[in-house]
Amino acid sequence: MLTLGINASFHDSAAALMVDGEVIAAAEEERFTRVKHGKRPVPFTAWELPYHAIDFCLKEAGATLGDLAHVAYSFDPRRFLGDRAPDGRFTLPLQPSDFEAGPWENPWDPLFAAYVMSAPRLLTDAVPHHLRKRFAGVRHADAPYRWHFVPHHLCHQASAFLAAPFSSCAVMTLDGRGEQASTCYGRYRDHRYEALGEVHVPHSLGLLYERVTSHLGFLHSSDEYKVMAMAALGTPRYADLLREHLVVDADGQYRTLPLDLTARFGPARVPGSAMGEAYLDLAASLQDVLEETALRLAVWLRERTGEDRLAMAGGVALNCVMNSRLRDAGIFREVWVQPAAGDAGTALGAALWVDALARSGQTDRGTDTSTDGTVLLAERRWQMDHAYLGPAYSDEEIEALLQWAQLRYRKVENVAAETAALLAGNKIIGWFQGRMEFGPRALGARSLLASPVDPAMQARLNELKDREDFRPVAPAVNREDLADWFEPADANGGESPFMLFVYNVKPGRGERIPSALHTDRTARVQTVDAATNPVFHDLLQAVGERTGVPVLVNTSFNVRGEPIVGTPKAALEAFFSTPLDALVIGSFILEK
């Protein structure tokens, strides 16, 4: 039984494919099209399905569209519509100025709904010509698979509790918005999921963070992580002002009250202009209030569920500083966060949910969890131990490209040892190995790597990537070496494989890895396991043997405004258009 999951309604378009309860492939559309986030989250782009990512997933299974049993789309237009189109018809203004306030929030919401409703037809009828081979022979009218519109936040929830290494857990989703919800709670126990409530827009922690991101001169639904990094440079002197507009009620509910950012905090920052103290303090205040609110919601959820483990998803759950405060608060014994916590992960969640329903014989039950709060699901056959679910390229494929491009390269027998020698020489390396990561973090498959020993390395990397000076880079360390360099090393079972939590550097160690630390002396650590990424594990071990420091700084293999490289061709383009010193791609090394 093949189940395809699709995310396409807002941004971070993605696809995931399951075979009989096992996830075999997942990827974001941006890695194939080279358009950041796949597309912008505006109504006019809702028709664009992740055709390239779907094509990859089908290829990985040796399948075509006609082999699918189920297609799960991570948005339910019926929930979004409600009773706003009783006769199935919409009215669109020719110009936004013609729009009159009514049941719609936005003049283009009807267009958005129409595009989403048309997704089943677009899957078969709007495929790009060069991809039609794996989509051929299927018409919407007689498609062999069953189509499912799955609520957006249910997909976020499923991407957490059906992927986490927990047999039972509380579940919390913090996001911008779905059809109606912005925050969602649940409990997973004994193969049963119980929905425990939602917070509806306009009340949204994610939308609040987006608004401040825009006020600070960054792109909303894209640059929120920059605001998180800025927060460490400021003082939360505006926290009380923000608290006046964020009220936490009982039963996991909260309200975001109207807030005029310009009136309260001054004019918005012009993109690219100087980062004044007031802007830094606003970022710090926002981060502080977000963390405080998440803690209060977590306390309620712990009491409500009785569970001592928490699984999280939603775009806000990519905030690793907030995650770490939840981890260290002791509310839950363990906290696990979906590595593709943003909207890309809803493609995975949609597939997981529909697969679990189908294997339990409840496909006809549908996806509504509101009438009966508890849903019995099939027994799990998979958990997300790693995020390496994207495409890989063989040495034969890579070498053929290198020869075609007439490039000078050398093939090596021991990639780890040869690369360690370059890194010990203070070189910056483009690292392209194995299957691509699913989610926004580079985790040692499509990474830029460097030694953290040189205090100037962070500045070198930020200049290479054309990034803001305040942006930190993250350290990678083998799991068995974590306790020697960072603390709390025993949290979450001594693992941080997805770079979603921050750690403190151990006393006396910071001076040896200055470029791996942020201004506040914390680090967003990735632990590497020999079982899930043996080549990267061997490299870290080899670097440690050469330098005495088994730590590398790891940042994504891209430059500002572009997606992480997904193909050998994209890796070569990035290598030759930046001051990278070397590219290690498969068994081959290219140097400048």
Side-chain angles (χ1 to χ4, degrees):
M1 182 180 72
L2 274 67
T3 302
L4 175 70
I6 298 172
N7 171 57
S9 53
F10 296 124
H11 54 106
D12 294 323
S13 305
L17 187 66
M18 300 186 68
V19 179
D20 294 330
E22 299 274 350
V23 177
I24 66 165
E28 291 108 315
E29 183 76 353
E30 66 167 23
R31 310 293 167 83
F32 304 95
T33 64
R34 311 302 303 150
V35 176
K36 188 73 170 175
H37 300 296
K39 57 192 180 70
R40 290 298 296 155
V42 295
F44 313 103
T45 63
W47 70 270
E48 297 183 46
L49 299 184
Y51 295 107
H52 297 81
I54 294 169
D55 182 72
F56 154 69
C57 289
L58 293 172
K59 178 183 178 182
E60 195 68 19
T64 66
L65 194 67
D67 295 319
L68 298 176
H70 300 279
V71 176
Y73 184 98
S74 63
F75 192 89
D76 187 347
R78 293 160 297 196
R79 286 196 174 196
F80 178 75
L81 286 170
D83 58 1
R84 293 184 291 189
D87 60 353
R89 295 180 179 274
F90 306 130
T91 299
L92 288 175
L94 290 176
Q95 297 186 38
S97 57
D98 296 334
F99 176 69
E100 295 182 2
W104 303 100
E105 298 175 29
N106 183 296
W108 306 119
D109 277 350
L111 180 65
F112 169 79
Y115 278 153
V116 174
M117 289 290 289
S118 298
R121 293 172 177 81
L122 295 169
L123 180 61
T124 58
D125 299 343
V127 182
H129 286 280
H130 66 289
L131 299 178
R132 288 193 171 180
K133 181 179 179 180
R134 263 180 277 274
F135 293 76
V138 179
R139 298 183 308 167
H140 168 69
D142 55 3
Y145 46 78
R146 182 165 181 176
W147 183 277
H148 308 262
F149 285 117
V150 188
H152 184 79
H153 274 265
L154 178 58
C155 294
H156 273 311
Q157 293 268 292
S159 78
F161 71 82
L162 289 176
F166 304 146
S167 59
S168 64
C169 59
V171 195
M172 181 164 67
T173 293
L174 303 173
D175 197 24
R177 68 167 301 158
E179 301 87 357
Q180 298 168 331
S182 65
T183 300
C184 193
Y185 309 103
R187 174 170 55 193
Y188 179 68
R189 179 188 294 174
D190 299 328
H191 314 306
R192 295 176 183 271
Y193 170 72
E194 180 183 4
L196 297 177
E198 298 177 339
V199 178
H200 288 182
V201 290
H203 311 297
S204 168
L205 293 174
L207 292 181
L208 174 62
Y209 215 97
E210 283 187 10
R211 287 189 60 205
V212 177
T213 296
S214 295
H215 188 80
L216 292 173
F218 298 114
L219 185 63
H220 73 85
S221 301
S222 176
D223 293 342
E224 284 74 17
Y225 59 95
K226 297 181 183 181
V227 176
M228 180 186 70
M230 283 175 58
L233 308 178
T235 301
R237 60 184 168 116
Y238 299 127
D240 285 342
L241 286 176
L242 287 174
R243 288 188 189 101
E244 294 176 7
H245 299 272
L246 179 55
V247 181
V248 180
D249 298 317
D251 300 326
Q253 297 294 307
Y254 62 84
R255 290 169 288 139
T256 49
L257 306 180
L259 173 60
D260 186 332
L261 291 170
T262 300
R264 300 305 298 266
F265 305 110
R269 172 178 168 264
V270 176
S273 65
M275 191 65 68
E277 181 180 347
Y279 296 127
L280 297 175
D281 290 349
L282 177 56
S285 302
L286 175 68
Q287 181 66 31
D288 194 56
V289 171
L290 171 69
E291 295 171 20
E292 175 187 284
T293 304
L295 285 174
R296 295 179 66 181
L297 299 178
V299 168
W300 168 81
L301 186 59
R302 175 72 170 86
E303 295 173 351
R304 176 68 176 81
T305 63
E307 300 290 344
D308 63 357
R309 292 180 172 90
L310 174 66
M312 294 178 63
V316 179
L318 290 171
N319 190 302
C320 59
V321 181
M322 178 195 76
N323 296 342
S324 304
R325 193 163 172 189
L326 280 170
R327 175 199 64 193
D328 298 338
I331 302 167
F332 292 94
R333 181 157 54 96
E334 291 184 75
V335 179
W336 187 89
V337 180
Q338 164 59 239
D343 279 4
T346 63
L348 176 63
L352 285 165
W353 178 262
V354 168
D355 168 86
L357 277 181
R359 288 189 296 108
S360 69
Q362 297 186 86
T363 309
D364 291 333
R365 186 189 189 284
T367 57
D368 185 11
T369 59
S370 60
T371 53
D372 178 1
T374 301
V375 183
L376 176 64
L377 301 168
E379 184 175 352
R380 287 175 51 183
R381 297 176 179 173
W382 175 86
Q383 71 178 39
M384 198 169 188
D385 299 319
H386 63 82
Y388 308 112
L389 297 169
Y393 297 86
S394 66
D395 276 353
E396 291 75 20
E397 291 174 295
I398 294 169
E399 189 165 25
L401 176 63
L402 297 176
Q403 291 177 349
W404 177 80
Q406 300 181 17
L407 299 176
R408 295 179 61 184
Y409 63 91
R410 56 191 173 95
K411 185 173 184 178
V412 298
E413 293 297 323
N414 190 329
V415 171
E418 296 274 359
T419 307
L422 293 170
L423 291 164
N426 216 29
K427 304 288 188 182
I428 300 177
I429 306 299
W431 178 257
F432 188 106
Q433 300 289 327
R435 295 188 69 174
M436 182 177 68
E437 304 92 338
F438 180 53
R441 305 279 190 250
L443 300 170
R446 307 289 185 268
S447 293
L448 297 181
L449 303 175
S451 169
V453 175
D454 180 3
M457 184 55 74
Q458 178 190 349
R460 282 183 63 191
L461 283 165
N462 282 339
E463 181 182 11
L464 184 154
K465 296 187 67 173
D466 190 28
R467 302 199 315 178
E468 296 85 357
D469 294 341
F470 62 83
R471 299 272 297 280
V473 288
V477 61
N478 284 336
R479 180 183 176 185
E480 57 269 27
D481 295 324
L482 175 67
D484 292 336
W485 292 87
F486 302 99
E487 54 190 14
D490 58 346
N492 288 335
E495 291 187 329
S496 180
F498 304 128
M499 208 184 286
L500 284 167
F501 296 90
V502 297
Y503 290 73
N504 295 313
V505 66
K506 293 195 71 172
R509 291 296 202 183
E511 293 72 17
R512 303 193 68 188
I513 54 170
S515 286
L517 307 181
H518 198 16
T519 306
D520 58 1
R521 307 289 288 175
T522 64
R524 190 181 68 200
V525 176
Q526 176 200 357
T527 57
V528 180
D529 195 301
T532 56
N533 195 334
V535 178
F536 195 27
H537 185 276
D538 289 349
L539 174 60
L540 286 161
Q541 190 172 39
V543 166
E545 291 169 356
R546 273 186 170 270
T547 66
V549 179
V551 180
L552 290 173
V553 288
N554 172 16
T555 186
S556 55
F557 194 168
N558 67 323
V559 295
R560 182 165 65 171
E562 293 189 2
I564 298 173
V565 300
T567 65
K569 184 175 183 291
L572 289 172
E573 290 172 350
F575 174 58
F576 285 111
S577 62
T578 64
L580 268 174
D581 297 307
L583 172 64
V584 182
I585 180 168
S587 298
F588 308 99
I589 297 179
L590 293 78
E591 295 185 70
K592 292 178 180 173

